[in-house]
Amino acid sequence: MFPRRPVALMALLMISSSLQAAPAPAITDETKIPPYTLPDPLVCADGTPVREVATWRSKRRPELLELFAANEYGRTPAGRPAGMHWQVTSLDRAALGGKATRKEITIWFSENEKPDSPRMHLLIYQPNGVSAPPPVFLGLNFFGNHTVHSDPAIALARPFTFYEVDRYRPAAPGTPANSEQRGVHASKWQIEAVIARGYATATAWCNDLCRDHVDGLKDPAGVAALFSTGGAEERAADAWGAMGIWAWGLSRALDYLESDRELDAKRVAVHGFSRLGKAADWAAAQDERFAMLISNESGCGGAALSKRLYGETVAIINGKFPHWFAKSFRTYNDNEAALPMDQHQLLALIAPRPLYVASADGDQWSDPRGEFLGAKGAEPVYGLFGKKGLGVSEMPALDTSVGETIGYHNRTGKHDMTGYDWARYLDFADRHLNRPTP
Ligand code: GTR
């Protein structure tokens, strides 16, 4: 029987007020976390257990990808756009004191090359004097390519045109990014160290793809406009947001790398820090051309379990960043128990490729233990492939790197990507990406 009208009306009012309700406060006391149950990565939605790689590949993996697209990150258009093309805009074979070659490439996402045509600027440093095309670390940066190294030859990023959410606040809207910012994020990129170990590094600014702003999806020069996505509120419930677009951009950067015979596109480690770590996780989950994933303090919506209510929650992240995830993700605001999947299953989608998850002890907002448990929860799928994952059952001591095909450490210090982190990633890459592709 249908409820009588006043009851139905009251229910509607309750639903709409719960949609607007302030998020429940974050829990930061381990003893206050409510009990939760994680869905099994190796049991299909219809109850079929996954006992073979073939079942994982044909059934469970597509099923999980669909759950993440429909309920969290939104849907990604397949492949590259028809008119996509690129142009090398600078090339210097004597960069970094002769140790590296620096390249800049503009990747246009349509046939147009007008001032507001969607595009991405890729910056690459590759080691000189190597005997084979080197493996590549690929990641997006927060503030523009010119911030990853103080090299004065790096082209400045296009000016900001409006405030960027909680990250970079120019004195007034419209204040351009300026050369004072050159190299401000150099410590997060460690380019000399990467080159010295025989790897190339490639990066693009996330804002080239989608401005990190509540109105970012409306930017006429952004990728959202190219696909007529609509604004953060106007788009379809399962349409992508900034996170999906950033992940897509990483795959488009890989398209370019595949065309560059001086680099080994079969050995690309995609990496990301924080919000850009979430994007890297989603990129590697979807695009199996990425040979490795490094997820640095990716937290909520990244490597940390959502159902474990510690630190940032789904309601908090959706409230603060309404443009990051699909609108459908808001269904789970303060309702994480209803999620049909969780982030350990996202990490499981990387299997059998090497995966490194890293936390920082001073970054409780990202939930270090939740990130460790995310990695741990992916392990059974690595086992299915005959790979040993973390190989430990408890979180390791601070500043201790563990694991085989899944690496993990919890660094002392704040939310950051440091020389310590990079040294661990380079060691991990040496173990897993050390053989040149024939
Ligand atoms: C925070 C956000 C986190 C993380 C971080 C960052 O404000 O709550 O999820 O992404 O920003 O990107 O630095």
Side-chain angles (χ1 to χ4, degrees):
M1 216 172 97
F2 290 106
R4 281 174 299 141
R5 212 168 266 161
V7 178
L9 194 67
M10 262 177 61
L12 257 179
L13 282 173
M14 275 168 66
I15 290 169
S16 65
S17 69
S18 81
L19 284 178
Q20 286 153 22
I27 297 172
T28 50
D29 176 347
E30 193 67 36
T31 64
K32 302 248 161 68
I33 301 172
Y36 62 92
T37 315
L38 291 181
D40 190 331
L42 290 179
V43 178
C44 298
D46 64 4
T48 312
V50 180
R51 297 209 176 89
E52 277 148 26
V53 167
T55 320
W56 168 260
R57 286 215 170 281
S58 65
K59 191 166 162 134
R60 186 57 170 155
R61 186 179 147 78
E63 192 173 274
L64 286 171
L65 280 170
E66 167 60 21
L67 287 176
F68 284 105
N71 297 290
E72 185 165 355
Y73 302 101
R75 297 188 185 283
T76 307
R80 64 174 89 170
M84 182 172 134
H85 62 286
W86 48 73
Q87 192 189 349
V88 178
T89 56
S90 81
L91 176 68
D92 179 0
R93 300 245 172 238
L96 308 184
K99 292 195 193 102
T101 292
R102 184 190 57 249
K103 291 174 186 165
E104 291 175 298
I105 298 104
T106 300
I107 302 175
W108 300 93
F109 296 126
S110 66
E111 42 296 306
N112 296 327
E113 295 186 11
K114 301 199 186 107
D116 66 350
S117 301
R119 90 208 68 163
M120 168 171 71
H121 300 285
L122 193 65
L123 168 69
I124 298 175
Y125 284 96
Q126 62 192 58
N128 286 337
V130 285
S131 55
V136 186
F137 282 92
L138 168 69
L140 297 173
N141 64 71
F142 279 82
F143 289 171
N145 292 348
H146 62 286
T147 64
V148 305
H149 195 280
S150 54
D151 183 345
I154 302 172
L156 288 173
R158 70 181 164 141
F160 292 85
T161 50
F162 43 59
Y163 286 103
E164 310 298 317
V165 174
D166 95 331
R167 270 283 146 194
Y168 173 75
R169 293 177 192 275
T175 306
N178 59 54
S179 53
E180 283 162 30
Q181 291 182 294
R182 282 194 183 280
V184 289
H185 270 184
S187 67
K188 292 181 170 47
W189 288 81
Q190 303 284 328
I191 291 179
E192 262 90 1
V194 173
I195 295 291
R197 297 276 292 259
Y199 295 85
T201 200
T203 185
W205 187 26
C206 64
N207 280 19
D208 278 358
L209 296 154
C210 180
R211 296 262 180 185
D212 192 4
H213 182 273
V214 66
D215 284 333
L217 297 167
K218 293 181 179 162
D219 179 0
V223 171
L226 184 70
F227 289 95
S228 308
T229 304
E233 300 310 316
E234 295 78 19
R235 66 201 156 127
D238 62 351
W240 63 0
M243 216 52 79
I245 294 173
W246 293 336
W248 178 90
L250 286 163
S251 287
R252 303 293 72 80
L254 183 51
D255 294 341
Y256 165 78
L257 296 177
E258 284 185 327
S259 78
D260 188 330
R261 302 182 60 184
E262 296 180 350
L263 301 166
D264 190 347
K266 294 233 165 16
R267 293 189 292 157
V268 175
V270 64
H271 65 91
F273 165 45
S274 204
R275 67 195 67 187
L276 301 177
K278 309 177 207 296
D281 295 352
W282 180 225
Q286 295 176 94
D287 191 339
E288 291 185 275
R289 294 176 300 163
F290 289 115
M292 179 187 287
L293 168 65
I294 291 156
S295 181
N296 188 91
E297 296 153 40
S298 56
C300 178
L305 298 173
S306 301
K307 290 174 189 282
R308 186 186 126 89
L309 298 184
Y310 184 94
E312 189 169 31
T313 63
V314 172
I316 294 173
I317 207 165
N318 281 330
K320 207 162 146 203
F321 307 101
H323 58 297
W324 278 5
F325 298 94
K327 271 166 73 185
S328 55
F329 198 36
R330 301 177 197 173
T331 314
Y332 307 100
N333 283 356
D334 290 323
N335 185 26
E336 286 85 348
L339 275 164
M341 75 293 172
D342 208 335
Q343 302 304 113
H344 63 304
Q345 295 170 311
L346 183 76
L347 297 180
L349 291 169
I350 313 305
R353 296 165 291 161
L355 156 71
Y356 201 111
V357 173
S359 310
D361 188 47
D363 175 27
Q364 292 296 312
W365 190 238
S366 296
D367 186 11
R369 183 171 294 279
E371 291 173 328
F372 172 77
L373 293 172
K376 186 80 196 143
E379 222 168 26
V381 181
Y382 280 79
L384 185 73
F385 283 93
K387 302 264 177 196
K388 195 162 170 191
L390 285 166
V392 294
S393 47
E394 295 303 322
M395 236 176 130
L398 285 178
D399 306 316
T400 309
S401 179
V402 294
E404 288 196 13
T405 315
I406 307 178
Y408 178 82
H409 70 250
N410 187 18
R411 172 178 52 72
T412 307
K414 65 179 176 64
H415 189 53
D416 199 355
M417 186 153 168
T418 67
Y420 174 89
D421 298 314
W422 272 106
R424 303 291 81 73
Y425 304 150
L426 287 163
D427 289 348
F428 189 69
D430 281 354
R431 293 210 297 276
H432 294 286
L433 294 183
N434 57 359
R435 241 180 304 267
T437 305

